[in-house]
Amino acid sequence: MAASSFSVTNYISKSGITDFNFSNEHSKNVLLLRFKLNRKLQSRGRNFSVTKVASRNQQLQKLADQSIEETTDTLDNGILVPDSESAISSIKYHAEFTPLFSPEKFELPKAFYATAESVRDMLITNWNTTYKFHEKMNVKQAYYLSMEFLQGRALLNAVGNLELSGAYADALRKLGHDLEVVARQEQDAALGNGGLGRLASCFLDSLATLNYPAWGYGLRYKYGLFKQLITKDGQEEVAESWLEMGNPWEIPRNDVSYPIKFYGEVATGPDGRKKWVGGENILAVAYDVPIPGYKTKTTINLRLWSTKVGPEYFDLKAFNSGDHVKAYEALKRAEKICYILYPGDESHEGKTLRLKQQYTLCSASLQDIIARFERRSGDALNWEEFPEKVAVQMNDTHPTLCIPELLRILMDIKGLSWKEAWGITQRTVAYTNHTVLPEALEKWSLNLLQELLPRHVEIIEMIDSELIDIIIGEYGVEDLELLKEKLTQMRVLDNVELPASILELLVQPDEIPTVDSVEEEKELDEVTEPTSEDDELEVKVEKHAEVIKKVSFDPDPKLPKMVRMANLCVVGGHAVNGVAEIHSEIVKNEVFNDFYKLWPEKFQNKTNGVTPRRWISFCNPELSKIITKWTGTEDWVLDTEKLVELRKFSDNEELQSEWRKAKRINKEKTVSFLKEKTGYLVSPDAMFDVQVKRIHEYKRQLLNILGIVYQYKKMKEINADERKDKFVPRVCIFGGKAFATYVQAKRIVKFITDVGATVNNDPDIGDLLKVIFVPDYNVTVAEVLIPGSDLSEHISTAGMEASGTSNMKFAMNGCIQIGTLDGANVEIRQEVGEENFFLFGAEAHEISGLRKERSEGKFVPDPRFEEVKKYVRSGVFGPYNYNELMGSLEGNEGYGRADYFLVGKDFPGYIECQEKVDIAYRDQKRWTKMSIMNTAGSYKFSSDRTIHQYAREIWMIEPLVLPN
């Protein structure tokens, strides 16, 4: 290739670029690289301009055109893949020209941000290409609305999906750093808490990987849920700091903002159209996070909303007069909406803030979706086509206000009729249910909603009225007791008066006439043919007056008036899905049984799944290499059905040996991690027994720790030699956050840490038993603990866990499970084989009967359960008073009593099952085979599989592969 006579040194000199830490030669290379990338992308129709400096010089442009192939590798699958030298130049460029740190040094934090920004350049390139192609094709797009997205660290995931791990590892090594060490500088994005948010993030990864046109929508929480500290008093909460240094992955879209209104009143315009006026006004501003697919150019978007008001709301007069609080009151009122995930809702202010959060997510997202629909439609705008272009998925009940908000926009702003808007909304929206717990099926105070969102209450009342008509049409008025029961169970409005037009048809007079003769009854039958539906209802009531008992439809004045968000979701959407087979059956047969009978076609199952990229390939490279070797392909990362191939090698001694070595490496990493995070040093020779998930009574961490206490007590009762013969060494690891106001859950955390403090410092026990609570459990912690686990605990009360996703991650990584027949455990056990799953406990269909038995005083606790409670109360684990915690397991009735979650009932089966675990673990050949069979059986639980089901059966969207 001919050399250019153009002097780059002269160009750089004239451009005024100064060299801070890197050499002038580096600056030349940077400018060349950036310009070459720009030119290459332009030649492929990309929209990506990095440096304005280079674009000013045509001669440099010509040079870049001539030498592009010397600087970067060729395009692979249409993706620009730089070599390590190009990556070095890009990292140095960002260290110099996108500075967040002083220029003197290139230390780890600076190395991380520069590397992340370098990778983000390629994500933006692919994002722009994806966005433009989707705009051009104008296909139907899915929008996933969730209050949580538990992303985890992004750097290793991004370079892995882009297939750049090698290039960036080599580049950073040449710059004096290790990629994995640099990646550890990244804080987890504090945008979620548990399985709900992690599922949403896995779904985004799969949507991008499978080339589906889709976006996610959430909120940009400044302080997250909380950062968990473990002290002598148990759990303490402090604010997350993940945004203090900035987020290199997000792209502020200052030109994308939407007005959000609260309070105010509803007015009627001269055209008869309703208008929401007055009140409090804020802005929702967009921040975009690119989500790359694996081995594809497709890069979709997670759009997060932050809230603010304009500078005109800052009261300068009040500030200068010394009333500083009043001066920025409006600013803080707007900003605090996105401060915290799930703010405490014990107070009226807390409830108001949560409702503001939910409405902000719904309103901003829908305004954005509608704007995109209108832009793509152009002059051919037809609102009836909206459901053919848009699918909105509500991840649990938090985004329920999408339904009345979409109706409000369509009717009040776009001018559609109620009938048109209601039909469009029902065809657009779908709902995923994630819980059967009554307290988690959200209800909001009607008075609070009326105060905060007055127009939406009017719309919800219209929906409720529509539903009442459907219920009466289905059940008639012959049996008013039955009708009252169905209205009570199914209405969106709970404990609220029936509409007057309905009420006057159903309420009988104080004295009901009696039919004395057959002649009079015949006269009743000869009533004039009804002329309307209302007349027909009157006739039915009149004809059957003699058999109708007086039924009151009046609300109970002692109970609050509420809005049932789950019922609104079912009525307002075209699909309702559970997230595991057993859960979906409970949804149909118990939670929403009346709706299921009315609309059976709405109800589906979509068993949860997790991305195999993050949860095997990237977090467990040792195991991944083995899987690739024995399946003969790397395709299992995209097609997990290939994991089934491992079954036929499960007895192979060579595979088993390699499998155990990989597990040992992962356990040694876990040992180092635990020492760093907790100060405890544990032995990798012990069985690692792990329960990591949100702390909740139904998840039964209490059952686990009581089982450990029982084991500890039995160890103390025998001598050292007997202990070694009888017990397998265990490291029992807990992790998870208790909600800040959930007192009982925080007592459980305190109890676990107290047990750990005693057991871990007992010289008689040594390495035979350790109990460790890992603070601030998050995705990054999971990526270390899960590959290094031997046994995982999924021991919720049967019928109470919707699905779970951690059980899937553990299974993928060859971890054997002990659990109940609950959530996805049922399907996992079916796939891995009954002999490779440790099962105990009451089943879902038995639970209500067992609770009834308890309330009648018929339950007789096992002596071992009484023994362990007495041991806890003896003070062996410190001075803390555990009467409240132990008391919750006692008695036959009362709030916080009567062992609602059946810990006592399942305790004997649990400790006996753990004895079977010990027996199996001693036989390492058997245990290794069980481990292999768990990985092989996890094929069904890829989020790719789940997303295909959503796309084909709920959203009706097709993959859209970008052209090369």
Side-chain angles (χ1 to χ4, degrees), residues 325-555:
V325 173
K326 181 184 176 184
Y328 54 73
E329 182 179 14
L331 279 69
K332 291 299 179 186
R333 194 165 53 237
E335 290 171 1
K336 73 178 181 181
I337 291 171
C338 291
Y339 273 176
I340 297 292
L341 169 64
Y342 302 141
D345 59 358
E346 301 289 317
S347 65
H348 176 78
E349 292 77 11
K351 290 181 174 68
T352 301
L353 187 55
R354 277 214 192 188
L355 197 54
K356 281 185 171 183
Q357 286 185 335
Q358 293 187 6
Y359 179 62
T360 297
L361 170 64
C362 295
S363 181
S365 302
L366 282 172
Q367 289 183 68
D368 196 45
I369 291 166
I370 287 169
R372 189 170 302 111
F373 170 74
E374 290 179 316
R375 184 178 64 251
R376 290 181 179 181
S377 298
D379 295 335
L381 179 64
N382 179 357
W383 286 106
E384 278 299 314
E385 293 180 356
F386 188 76
E388 308 306 318
K389 297 294 184 181
V390 170
V392 173
Q393 188 71 34
M394 300 181 296
N395 192 27
D396 217 350
T397 52
H398 308 124
T400 305
L401 288 169
C402 279
I403 294 167
E405 175 67 359
L406 182 53
L407 283 162
R408 182 189 72 83
I409 294 172
L410 293 176
M411 291 191 298
D412 297 359
I413 299 175
K414 305 304 176 183
L416 275 66
S417 69
W418 160 259
K419 184 177 180 181
E420 291 170 325
W422 182 228
I424 290 168
T425 299
Q426 286 187 302
R427 288 158 51 208
T428 300
V429 175
Y431 161 54
T432 299
N433 173 274
H434 282 280
T435 184
V436 299
L437 297 179
E439 67 269 22
L441 291 172
E442 283 190 307
K443 293 183 180 181
W444 284 105
S445 162
L446 180 61
N447 291 336
L448 174 58
L449 267 167
Q450 180 70 57
E451 176 189 6
L452 194 67
L453 304 170
R455 177 57 177 143
H456 296 76
V457 169
E458 290 186 351
I459 293 170
I460 290 169
E461 288 172 345
M462 295 170 73
I463 296 171
D464 188 59
S465 182
E466 287 269 338
L467 178 60
I468 290 169
D469 288 344
I470 292 170
I471 295 169
I472 293 175
E474 180 72 15
Y475 293 98
V477 295
E478 290 83 0
D479 186 343
L480 289 189
E481 285 284 359
L482 175 64
L483 181 61
K484 179 182 178 180
E485 176 188 329
K486 297 304 178 185
L487 288 170
T488 301
Q489 292 171 350
M490 297 176 71
R491 286 185 64 190
V492 174
L493 298 178
D494 183 25
N495 200 43
V496 176
E497 300 86 351
L498 286 166
S501 60
I502 298 294
L503 199 58
E504 64 186 28
L505 298 175
L506 300 180
V507 176
Q508 314 92 55
D510 290 337
E511 292 186 7
I512 300 176
T514 303
V515 179
D516 293 323
S517 68
V518 174
E519 288 3 298
E520 290 174 336
E521 186 171 357
K522 287 180 179 178
E523 289 175 17
L524 268 177
D525 288 338
E526 292 169 4
V527 173
T528 305
E529 187 69 16
T531 58
S532 69
E533 289 185 9
D534 287 354
D535 291 338
E536 186 177 358
L537 287 175
E538 290 177 335
V539 169
K540 288 181 179 179
V541 172
E542 192 174 344
K543 282 179 66 176
H544 297 273
E546 79 277 14
V547 295
I548 296 175
K549 296 179 181 178
K550 183 174 173 64
V551 177
S552 172
F553 288 88
D554 294 336

Side-chain angles (χ1 to χ4, degrees), residues 3-4 58 90 173 238 261 283 336 437 565 784 857 909 912:
S4 170
Q58 294 300 315
S90 180
R173 186 162 50 250
V238 297
K261 183 185 290 293
L283 280 177
K336 73 178 181 181
L437 297 179
M565 307 306 269
V784 177
E912 289 162 12

Side-chain angles (χ1 to χ4, degrees), residues 1 45 54 88 108 164 203 600 624 645 651 750 799 835 870:
M1 186 174 290
I88 289 172
L108 280 171
L164 296 176
F203 278 5
S624 297
E645 285 289 304
D651 287 311
K750 168 65 175 165
E835 68 279 12
K870 183 179 179 181

